[in-house]
Amino acid sequence: MSANTETCPSPDSDSVLSHLPFSLFWRARVASTVANQMQIVAVGWQVYQMTGSAFDLGIVGLVQFLPALFLALVVGHVADRYDRRTIARICLFIEGVAAAALAIGSVQGWLTKDAILIIVFIIGATRAFESPTMQALVPGLVPPRLLPRAVAWAASATQTAVIIGPALGGFIYAIGASAVYAISSALLLLASVLVSRIRIETVLPKREPATLTSLFAGIAFIRSRPAVLGAISLDLFAVLLGGATALLPIFAHDILATGPLGLGLLRSAPALGALSVGLYLTRRPLTKRVGRSMFIAVAIFGVATVVFALSRSMTISLIALAVLGASDMISVVVRSSFVQLETPDAMRGRVSAVNSVFIGTSNQLGEFESGITAAWVGPVPAVLFGGIGTLVVVALWIRLFPELFKVDRLTSSPAMPGKPATVAEAVP
């Protein structure tokens, strides 16, 4: 494949958006994430209206998590052996068709709880391929020295969409769930078209037969790098315990006494905090004590979760969620940059697939955990327990992974055969 030389910026350009491949990727990320967030609001509200059950809200998260869990090894193998743009384009197209099915089912009246779960399962299986593939694409879209900024821009794109999506979904839901799903479908199809326009110079690896060694190579690589394992697992347990997003419909309806628009605002609040920090990091990336900063950010995430659990005020709840999102953004940028920079390109698909199970799908598993816990002890104790659990994990991980806590900054260096192209420098 040939590079699009007509739109290639100067190699010295510090603007990641001046690189056309990344610009197309960024727009596709915004469109697809807006669509996904709109769907989350519509599905959550629709299922809760149908059943009034916290357990069923947890099941929605579980059926999205299971495909990613069982497909993780296959996904990574595929992403490292086929054109990642083609994989992402096809996945986004299928997600657009699935959203259209939700819209048609809502209009025609056959969309039951079970039908929603089946379609959501299909969406979850498709995202199992899309998410790690899109992650693995990013390092090839900009020069290595700009990767931390690109990660911050990509994360900011997600958070921008997470602000717009839920609020827009809650507003449009007043017209009907079918309208939310129809617009989501159009945005996903648009994202597929944008990805298809990305042109980067790349050499596809040899399509060697899948073996147990190649399938498990991502896991083996992560296990061989304690700091990488610590970074990925820290976020896994923090989100697993601290994630209360599945319970937002309950907090909105039963505790804060608001409607779909209020639910949209609650879902948007973390993204608003995250976007503010993300935009700041695109201008002023963290340069020192990044490991310590990540641990502090996750601890603040836990404290904000506790405050949200105890709040009975819409204003305080929104502030707590905004702080939660801001702290999470710091953790995301540090962890994502660190993992990507420590991983050779030939391994990025498999490592990203494992990372997606640990990180991306921990949101769905966290929703299931929160739904089950809320069904047993109630929504407030469930979220309170999660926030306290996050603080415990932070303290424990500092002792288990001291080398991660001591990471000072990330610096790039020329790639060496068989070695990552970057070195994480640690505080002595």
Side-chain angles (χ1 to χ4, degrees), residues 177-326:
S178 60
V180 179
Y181 297 136
I183 295 174
S184 296
S185 176
L187 288 172
L188 288 164
L189 295 175
L190 172 62
S192 179
V193 172
L194 290 171
V195 170
S196 71
R197 294 184 57 209
I198 293 176
R199 297 289 182 269
I200 54 176
E201 187 160 344
T202 182
V203 178
L204 292 177
K206 292 175 63 178
R207 297 179 184 176
E208 300 174 358
T211 64
L212 287 178
T213 300
S214 66
L215 288 174
F216 284 90
I219 296 175
F221 178 84
I222 292 171
R223 288 184 60 187
S224 71
R225 306 292 198 281
V228 173
L229 174 61
I232 292 175
S233 58
L234 172 65
D235 197 80
L236 164 67
F237 286 101
V239 174
L240 177 62
L241 293 171
T245 55
L247 303 181
L248 287 181
I250 299 176
F251 273 82
H253 188 275
D254 298 342
I255 296 174
L256 299 174
T258 186
L261 183 56
L263 173 60
L265 293 175
L266 289 171
R267 283 199 176 275
S268 296
L272 181 60
L275 177 62
S276 301
V277 171
L279 291 176
Y280 177 81
L281 293 177
T282 63
R283 301 270 182 184
R284 297 179 178 273
L286 296 174
T287 56
K288 292 184 178 180
R289 302 186 184 278
V290 295
R292 181 176 300 180
S293 297
M294 182 174 66
F295 278 102
I296 292 173
V298 177
I300 294 174
F301 179 92
V303 172
T305 301
V306 170
V307 172
F308 174 75
L310 299 176
S311 171
R312 297 298 177 271
S313 162
M314 186 68 172
T315 300
I316 294 176
S317 295
L318 289 171
I319 293 173
L321 289 173
V323 172
L324 181 150

Side-chain angles (χ1 to χ4, degrees), residues 33 243 331:
T33 309
S331 173

